[in-house]
Amino acid sequence: MATSRIPLVLLACGSFNPITNQHMRLFELARDHMHSTGQYQVVGGIVSPVSDGYGKQGLVLAQHRIAMAKLALQSSDWVTVDEWESQQADWTETVVTMRYHCGRILKEYERSTGEHKDSSGNPSPLSSPCPQLKLLCGADFLDTFQVPDLWLDDHVEEVAGHFGLICVSRGGLHPEQAVAASDTLSRHSHNIFLVREWVRNETSATEVRRALRRGLSVKYLIPDSVIEYIHQHNLYTEDSERRNKGTVLRPLAKQATQPGKSLDD
Amino acid sequence: MDGQHLTKVVLLACGSFNPITNMHLRMFELARDHLEDTGQYRVVKGIISPVGDAYKKKGLIEARHRLEMARLSTDSSDWITVDPWESLQPEWVETAKVVRHYYKEMLEAEQNTDDLDTVKYAKKRRIEENHFGASSHQKKDGLQLMFLCGADVLESFGVPNLWKQEDIDEIVGRYGMVCITRSGSDPHKFIHQSDKLWQYRQNIHMVREWVTNEISATQVRRSLRRGRSVRYLLPDGVVHYIQEHALYSAESEQRNAGVVLAPIQKNTEVS
C-alpha cells in the first residue's frame, strides 16, 4: 500500500487588524511548501483572530476583524475563519487555541471514521490518519519567542515540539537565525518548516492602517469587500489607533502574575 | 481649494503586463494619491496599454490574453481602463508614439466635452506657460497626460539602444512622468547623474512606495510553471483566466528566445 500523506490543517493566529492579501498568501505558500515535501496533504486552513483582551494598540473590535476576515475568505475553498479564540473572555495562549482546534479536529475525525467502519466495527482501512495541526506564522513571529516573559517555556516546547510550526519569511528577515537563537526551537527544527516568500511583499496591516488614516488607497493590498466594510464602519482612524495605548499587552501581564512551570524545581 | 485650478491628469502605463499583477494596479493608486496630495492635480483616468506581440520579449504571450487579463483586473476600478490600440499595431510602437497617440485622444475627448470654457482656460494657460519657461509641459486647458512607470523603466533609459534620446526628451520634457520607486533602486541618484533628466526634474514625480510590493511578473510566471499558487498576487479573475487557458508554461517562456528585442533591433538598424 502506498504511503499516504499526513493530512494537515494550518492554523494562523494573529490580530488580523485588518486581514490583508499577505495574510492569505501565507496560507497559499505554506500549502504549496508542505505538499512539496511529499509527506503532507493540506486539508484545511484556519484564521483565528485574537480576542479584544489581547490589549494591542490599535486593535479594533473582534466583531469587525472577524467580519472582515470572513469577507476576505469568502472566495476561498479551504481557509475559514474561526471565532472561538475571539470569543474567550480573556486573551488565550496560542497553545491553548491550538489544543482547542486539535481536539475539535480529532472529534470530527472520530465522528467521520465512525461512519465508515467495517462490519467488525473497525475503521475502514482506507481511511487516512487523523489530521495534524500546525501553526502557520510569519518570521517575525519566531522572534517573539525571544521576548522575555511573553512565552512560557512549556508552551514553546508544545507549539514547536508537539504541534509544529510553518514559518513564512518575508522581506529581509532570517527565520533560521531565530531558530538557532533558541535552544527549544533548535531541538525541534525538524518540526519547523521554513518557507521562503519569493516576493518581497511587505504589506503589513500596520501600514494598511496608516494609509487608511491618511485617506490613501489600499486597493489591491486587501480585498475590495474588506475596503468597503472598513469605509462603511469607519474603522481605522486616529482614534482607533490610540486604543490600548499605554496598556500592557495581555500576555505580558498574565505571564507576570503566573510564574512559568519551569521555574518550579 | 477651488476645483477649477486643478490640472486634470490622465496616467498612462505601458508595458508587457505579462501578466498584470496587483503591483501594476497599485502603481496607479499610489500615483493618484501622490499627485492629488500636492493639491495641484486631479487624476481623472488611468490607461493600461499592453505592448504588442511584435515587441519580441522572451516569454511574451499573445496580446489578446494579456489584454483580457488586464481587462478582468480593472473590472473593479472606476477609473483605470485598458486600451488595445498599441497591441493592435502590426509593428512595435515606440513609447513616445504611444504617449503622443493617447495625448491626442485625450485632447479630442476633452474638446468634445469642454467647448464652453475655452476662452477662460486659454487665458489661464498663457499665464501658466510663462511660469514654466524652458521645460513647459504639454498642457492644454489644464489637462495633462503623464507617463506612469516603475523606477526600473526610468533606469532603463541608460540601456544602450533601448531608447532614442529624442523620445526620452519628449516623454519627460514635453509630457511628464510619474515614477514609482522600488526598493533597491535609487532613482533620485539616477536623475542626478543624467544631465538631461536633471534638466527635466520638475517633470518627474517620484512616488515613494511606502510598502514594498515587488510582485514581479517574471516570478509569477515561474511560480505558475512550477504549479505554485499565485493567488492574492493577481486579482482572482486573472488567476482563473490563466488556469482556464493554461497560459504560462515552460513552452510559453521560450517564445522569442534568442530574438532581439524590437526597440534594440530598430535602433541599431543601419538607416
Side-chain angles (χ1 to χ4, degrees):
Chain A
M1 186 172 143
T3 339
S4 55
R5 288 171 176 246
I6 301 165
L8 186 59
V9 174
L10 309 177
L11 169 69
C13 299
S15 305
F16 298 102
N17 185 37
I19 194 165
T20 67
N21 283 347
Q22 182 59 9
H23 289 130
M24 298 186 286
R25 276 295 292 157
L26 289 185
F27 282 91
E28 299 288 305
L29 287 161
R31 179 167 71 162
D32 281 347
H33 181 88
M34 298 312 282
H35 281 179
S36 74
T37 63
Q39 300 172 282
Y40 297 94
Q41 177 68 37
V42 176
V43 298
I46 304 167
V47 164
S48 175
V50 79
S51 74
D52 294 328
Y54 186 47
K56 190 171 184 183
Q57 194 182 342
L59 196 68
V60 303
L61 289 176
Q63 71 177 94
H64 290 309
R65 291 182 287 113
I66 296 274
M68 290 188 285
K70 282 186 176 159
L71 284 168
L73 291 165
Q74 227 161 35
S75 62
S76 177
D77 62 0
W78 68 285
V79 185
T80 57
V81 185
D82 191 279
E83 299 180 54
W84 181 83
E85 187 183 349
S86 68
Q87 287 166 345
Q88 300 314 298
D90 192 1
W91 165 75
T92 317
E93 283 97 336
T94 305
V95 83
V96 172
T97 306
M98 292 196 83
R99 286 180 204 147
Y100 165 76
H101 285 287
C102 206
R104 211 175 41 81
I105 290 166
L106 181 62
K107 270 207 199 84
E108 179 56 37
Y109 172 76
E110 283 169 349
R111 190 190 60 79
S112 66
T113 42
E115 289 166 1
H116 295 109
K117 287 202 157 82
D118 64 20
S119 48
S120 343
N122 296 318
S124 153
L126 293 174
S127 66
S128 53
C130 181
Q132 285 184 6
L133 181 78
K134 291 199 190 299
L135 186 68
L136 170 62
C137 63
D140 48 349
F141 185 85
L142 283 188
D143 288 334
T144 69
F145 289 122
Q146 299 302 306
V147 176
D149 300 326
L150 192 57
W151 289 87
L152 290 173
D153 290 343
D154 287 352
H155 287 183
V156 180
E157 186 68 43
E158 196 174 337
V159 169
H162 176 68
F163 291 109
L165 282 160
I166 302 166
C167 174
V168 182
S169 66
R170 72 174 171 186
L173 297 169
H174 298 289
E176 304 88 352
Q177 287 170 7
V179 174
S182 155
D183 288 343
T184 314
L185 294 184
S186 297
R187 226 173 329 114
H188 300 296
S189 58
H190 59 277
N191 211 8
I192 300 173
F193 299 84
L194 302 178
V195 186
R196 263 250 149 237
E197 157 72 291
W198 49 260
V199 151
R200 279 206 61 192
N201 191 347
E202 290 160 18
T203 309
S204 76
T206 305
E207 292 285 1
V208 167
R209 293 196 306 275
R210 183 173 293 140
L212 288 163
R213 277 200 305 281
R214 297 175 186 180
L216 299 174
S217 166
V218 294
K219 200 173 159 108
Y220 311 114
L221 296 178
I222 66 182
D224 284 348
S225 53
V226 178
I227 297 176
E228 215 182 285
Y229 184 94
I230 290 171
H231 287 316
Q232 260 171 22
H233 294 83
N234 195 32
L235 302 177
Y236 303 124
T237 57
E238 307 254 350
D239 277 338
S240 73
E241 198 63 18
R242 272 194 290 263
R243 268 166 164 250
N244 296 321
K245 189 169 183 169
T247 313
V248 175
L249 206 60
R250 190 69 189 109
L252 292 168
K254 201 167 180 181
Q255 253 68 289
T257 57
Q258 289 173 15
K261 276 190 234 163
S262 54
L263 294 177
D264 295 337
D265 276 321
Chain B
M1 188 167 206
D2 184 354
Q4 286 181 322
H5 295 293
L6 294 177
T7 303
K8 291 197 283 195
V9 173
V10 172
L11 295 171
L12 167 69
C14 299
S16 307
F17 300 104
N18 187 37
I20 194 158
T21 68
N22 281 345
M23 191 200 72
H24 293 129
L25 298 160
R26 278 295 295 154
M27 279 201 322
F28 280 90
E29 297 287 309
L30 287 162
R32 178 167 73 163
D33 279 346
H34 177 91
L35 290 174
E36 296 195 347
D37 201 51
T38 64
Q40 299 173 284
Y41 304 99
R42 185 166 71 86
V43 178
V44 299
K45 189 176 178 181
I47 303 171
I48 293 171
S49 177
V51 78
D53 293 331
Y55 186 49
K56 300 272 189 237
K57 189 170 182 183
K58 183 165 176 284
L60 192 70
I61 65 164
E62 287 158 70
R64 65 184 174 97
H65 287 310
R66 292 182 287 114
L67 273 170
E68 188 53 27
M69 290 188 286
R71 281 195 196 112
L72 286 166
S73 72
T74 52
D75 257 344
S76 69
S77 177
D78 60 1
W79 68 285
I80 306 171
T81 61
V82 183
D83 200 298
W85 179 82
E86 183 183 352
S87 67
L88 293 172
Q89 304 311 304
E91 298 292 321
W92 169 73
V93 186
E94 283 98 334
T95 307
K97 284 207 180 83
V98 179
V99 176
R100 253 180 258 147
H101 165 82
Y102 285 109
Y103 179 73
K104 237 181 68 193
E105 247 193 28
M106 181 186 74
L107 289 185
E108 281 162 16
E110 186 70 4
Q111 200 61 41
N112 294 337
T113 58
D114 212 41
D115 283 316
L116 296 164
D117 290 318
T118 7
V119 174
K120 195 196 318 178
Y121 280 136
K123 185 175 178 185
K124 197 163 74 72
R125 185 169 33 101
R126 254 179 276 132
I127 297 167
E128 281 168 350
E129 275 175 4
N130 288 334
H131 281 141
F132 279 103
S135 60
S136 69
H137 288 82
Q138 193 80 335
K139 237 201 267 181
K140 194 173 169 101
D141 300 343
L143 186 61
Q144 197 175 343
L145 180 82
M146 292 195 200
F147 183 64
L148 171 64
C149 65
D152 53 339
V153 173
L154 182 68
E155 288 173 14
S156 79
F157 285 166
V159 174
N161 290 319
L162 192 57
W163 296 85
K164 285 198 295 226
Q165 189 54 57
E166 61 253 39
D167 283 0
I168 296 174
D169 290 345
E170 188 176 345
I171 295 168
V172 188
R174 207 184 304 166
Y175 297 100
M177 255 176 105
V178 183
C179 182
I180 314 294
T181 63
R182 252 188 195 186
S183 71
S185 67
D186 188 356
H188 283 107
K189 188 175 177 189
F190 190 74
I191 295 172
H192 173 76
Q193 288 174 345
S194 156
D195 287 344
K196 262 289 151 77
L197 292 182
W198 174 251
Q199 187 188 337
Y200 298 134
R201 66 194 181 283
Q202 311 284 20
N203 301 5
I204 304 173
H205 301 263
M206 299 296 309
V207 183
R208 186 115 219 130
E209 196 180 35
W210 47 264
V211 127
T212 313
N213 196 4
E214 293 166 11
I215 306 173
S216 110
T218 304
Q219 288 179 316
V220 165
R221 295 196 304 275
R222 184 175 297 139
S223 265
L224 287 163
R225 282 201 300 281
R226 296 174 185 182
R228 298 288 168 117
S229 166
V230 292
R231 204 157 178 205
Y232 309 116
L233 296 178
L234 327 179
D236 277 353
V238 180
V239 178
H240 292 142
Y241 185 89
I242 290 172
Q243 283 164 354
E244 245 179 285
H245 294 83
L247 303 176
Y248 303 121
S249 56
E251 203 186 17
S252 72
E253 198 65 15
Q254 285 314 302
R255 271 167 167 251
N256 297 318
V259 176
V260 178
L261 206 61
I264 295 174
Q265 173 76 33
K266 198 162 184 181
N267 295 333
T268 51
E269 262 162 15
V270 178
S271 47

